[in-house]
Amino acid sequence: MPLALAYIASLGIEKFLFVLFKKEAQKKLKRMEKLQIICITGSYGKTSIKNFVAEILRKKYKVYATPRSVNTLGGIVKDINESLPDDTDIYVCEAGARERGDIYDITTFLEPQVVVVGKVGLAHIEYFKTLENIIATKLEIMQSPRLECAFIHTSVTDEPHDKVTFFGDEIQNVNSTLGGTDFELELHDNTLHLHTDILGSFQATNIAVAVQIAKTFDISNEQIICLLYTSPSPQDRT
């Protein structure tokens, strides 16, 4: 009985301290009135997308991205309190989930203006039981109260929305060799011919959505092309 009571008490104290820690992070975000937040989720590629977005936007802005695969609410709260610089222009954050409501909790905490739902599949099916549950959980990110635009992979949904841009079908002529990856990206009325030293044809989709996000932040085509030639290969730890 004493051990059980001590365990219950420790859980209560831990929850109370987390609430306080979370409130401190919220206060910090509110002080950063001009901060733009980009939140990225998906079954595959979200770490790569995060890294590509951060690298491209650093050409013009002060960017901070969550380190490695920090993607839980607790990890994000800790990252904001301890590591997010006060002069950051854009915070690029990765959001992961193990159960329904996880993405919603992160989304309502961060209130991102830009969200991404990458390719969705059967990863972590043991937690969600069905693909439909996985998709529903990822789409919780659309409930951000400050949502301005969303980029959603075609594997997730095709339901039209005035704030949604779908991606995944705008890539053509992908050619991946040991010398890098070349592909064409249909962007509005233009076709960008892109090359990167990063290996793997699957990365073309991750780069493509990063480019589309960069365009919403007024990064020029010339800057994007130059950066892709010199970008380091990010480790994808999705």
Side-chain angles (χ1 to χ4, degrees):
M1 183 64 72
L3 288 175
L5 291 174
Y7 177 71
I8 293 171
S10 66
L11 287 179
I13 293 170
E14 182 179 345
K15 185 175 181 179
F16 175 73
L17 291 175
F18 177 72
V19 169
L20 293 180
F21 206 45
K22 182 180 175 182
K23 286 183 177 179
E24 286 300 313
Q26 288 173 320
K27 289 179 182 178
K28 183 174 182 177
L29 291 178
K30 286 182 179 180
R31 289 197 305 268
M32 302 170 69
E33 296 178 355
K34 297 182 179 180
L35 180 68
Q36 293 284 307
I37 300 176
I38 301 171
C39 193
I40 301 163
T41 191
S43 298
Y44 315 105
K46 55 183 176 289
T47 303
S48 286
I49 295 172
K50 175 190 70 178
N51 290 337
F52 290 133
V53 169
E55 286 299 318
I56 294 174
L57 292 181
R58 283 192 181 107
K59 181 69 176 180
K60 188 173 181 180
Y61 301 96
K62 176 74 173 180
V63 178
Y64 177 81
T66 47
R68 300 177 298 280
S69 289
V70 171
N71 60 22
T72 64
L73 179 59
I76 293 167
V77 167
K78 183 175 185 291
D79 187 51
I80 290 170
N81 280 326
E82 297 181 357
S83 302
L84 178 64
D86 291 332
D87 61 346
T88 301
D89 296 316
I90 302 173
Y91 182 34
V92 187
C93 185
E94 181 179 335
R98 288 292 184 272
E99 61 184 17
R100 295 288 291 269
D102 282 353
I103 301 297
Y104 177 79
D105 289 343
I106 293 171
T107 300
T108 53
F109 166 67
L110 287 174
E111 298 185 357
Q113 295 95 334
V114 180
V115 303
V116 180
V117 183
K119 188 175 181 180
V120 169
L122 298 179
H124 306 309
I125 191 69
E126 67 274 17
Y127 299 113
F128 295 98
K129 308 306 180 185
T130 68
L131 180 61
E132 289 73 19
N133 287 338
I134 295 174
I135 290 173
T137 300
K138 302 303 182 184
L139 287 175
E140 291 171 355
I141 203 169
M142 291 292 294
Q143 299 185 54
S144 172
R146 297 193 298 170
L147 182 65
E148 295 177 2
C149 59
F151 299 85
I152 298 180
H153 191 269
T154 52
S155 65
V156 181
T157 181
D158 59 1
E159 183 177 349
H161 189 286
D162 59 350
K163 295 182 179 179
V164 170
T165 297
F166 295 103
F167 70 95
D169 295 333
E170 73 285 9
I171 306 166
Q172 300 177 358
N173 301 321
V174 180
N175 181 33
S176 183
T177 68
L178 291 178
T181 303
D182 295 272
F183 62 96
E184 294 177 353
L185 173 61
E186 296 293 331
L187 198 60
H188 307 301
D189 295 328
N190 297 319
T191 299
L192 292 185
H193 301 271
L194 301 175
H195 170 85
T196 176
D197 291 339
I198 296 168
L199 305 181
S201 59
F202 66 94
Q203 292 287 17
T205 299
N206 300 328
I207 293 171
V209 68
V211 168
Q212 294 195 62
I213 292 170
K215 295 300 294 181
T216 68
F217 285 89
D218 298 321
I219 304 296
S220 70
N221 292 345
E222 292 74 19
Q223 289 173 318
I224 289 168
I225 291 170
C226 179
L227 282 166
L228 288 181
Y229 269 101
T230 58
S231 292
S233 177
Q235 284 190 313
D236 189 353
R237 304 184 184 93
T238 304

